[in-house]
Amino acid sequence: MPTIQERFGESPVYLGKLFACAKLLAGGNLPKAIETADSGFAAGPERGIAQAVVQLASGQGRRLRDTLSGIQSDGGQRVNAILDALRVASLDRQEPNTAIKSLLDDLLSMPLPFIAFALSLLPPACLASLLDLEPGLAPAAAIAAQRGIAGLGAVLPANLDVVELSDREVEILHLLQQGLSDRQISDMCYISLNTTKTHVAAIRKKLGVNRRRDIVVRAQTLHLL
């Protein structure tokens, strides 16, 4: 990840799955990001951090607080900056000001590249809220906004496209990718032609496309294929 190293200093290779989640979120594929965050992590704080990032982006406030409380820092400044940013973003504004101020002060004490990296994991609304609380974060926030989510160069959309397909719809989607007609899909799946057309129409609606031929392209954009 040479470009990420150049942008943010110390290599965060051990947080590789975090980048995978960030890329999926930037593409609007929340279901796949959730799946990625919940599986396949090595020992260390990376699993909890990835889960927390996805939970924050998807508005899972209750789960987020529990996840953050269970993360054990590895003692590094990068991880501590990330945890500070996530924790202050998770706090209700009714929380005692001392708790929020303590987290913000700790975050501001970190090196600028680490603060920028931490802020690049936050959805735009959370980042704006943090800037209201602490204008001193503006230089790091400017870097985060310029670099995109997790330094990947893609800005997290304000409104994520939540696409959840049923098992049958996923099966049909893969058959569409192979170029099969509705009649051929019906025969392959042992369902009626009308049922196939209903499934295809549901897939089009979920993906937000009007034409059948646009389904596969949109699905690939959302990393569903």
Side-chain angles (χ1 to χ4, degrees):
M1 302 180 187
T3 57
I4 296 173
Q5 291 179 34
E6 291 168 5
R7 292 170 178 174
F8 290 99
E10 170 193 338
S11 170
V13 172
Y14 66 98
L15 291 176
K17 283 287 181 129
L18 175 58
F19 289 96
C21 291
K23 187 172 183 179
L24 290 165
L25 287 172
N29 191 349
L30 180 56
K32 188 65 175 178
I34 293 173
E35 177 187 332
T36 302
D38 288 341
S39 62
F41 283 85
E46 62 173 325
R47 176 174 184 151
I49 289 173
Q51 289 175 329
V53 168
V54 173
Q55 288 162 3
L56 181 62
S58 56
Q60 301 176 57
R62 292 182 180 178
R63 292 187 62 194
L64 173 61
R65 301 286 286 271
D66 290 340
T67 298
L68 288 171
S69 66
I71 299 174
Q72 296 295 317
S73 172
D74 64 358
Q77 285 186 303
R78 180 186 299 281
V79 169
N80 287 339
I82 292 171
L83 292 177
D84 284 342
L86 290 173
R87 283 171 178 152
V88 74
S90 75
L91 292 178
D92 189 301
R93 292 299 167 258
Q94 303 304 315
E95 299 279 351
N97 288 336
T98 52
I100 297 175
K101 186 177 187 306
S102 176
L103 286 169
L104 289 172
D105 287 347
D106 193 44
L107 182 60
L108 284 168
S109 71
M110 303 290 178
L112 180 61
F114 294 174
I115 304 173
F117 181 82
L119 296 185
S120 75
L121 297 172
L122 305 181
C126 291
L127 184 54
S129 179
L130 255 65
L131 285 174
D132 286 341
L133 288 170
E134 179 49 73
L137 292 172
I143 296 172
Q146 181 183 11
R147 301 308 185 191
I149 183 168
L152 292 169
V155 177
L156 183 66
N159 297 308
L160 292 173
D161 297 324
V162 180
V163 179
E164 296 183 3
L165 301 180
S166 67
D167 290 343
R168 176 65 87 180
E169 288 168 348
V170 170
E171 180 184 8
I172 290 174
L173 178 60
H174 283 279
L175 294 174
L176 289 171
Q177 185 183 29
Q178 296 173 31
L180 299 186
S181 67
D182 287 352
R183 171 60 68 186
Q184 290 170 318
I185 292 173
S186 299
D187 294 340
M188 289 282 292
C189 297
Y190 301 101
I191 58 178
S192 71
L193 180 58
N194 283 339
T195 299
T196 297
K197 289 181 176 179
T198 298
H199 282 308
V200 172
I203 293 169
R204 281 197 298 104
K205 183 176 180 181
K206 289 181 178 181
L207 298 184
V209 298
N210 295 319
R211 298 176 299 184
R212 188 180 188 279
R213 65 188 182 189
D214 294 332
I215 290 175
V216 171
V217 173
R218 178 60 174 161
Q220 289 172 334
T221 300
L222 296 175
H223 305 281
L224 296 173
L225 287 171

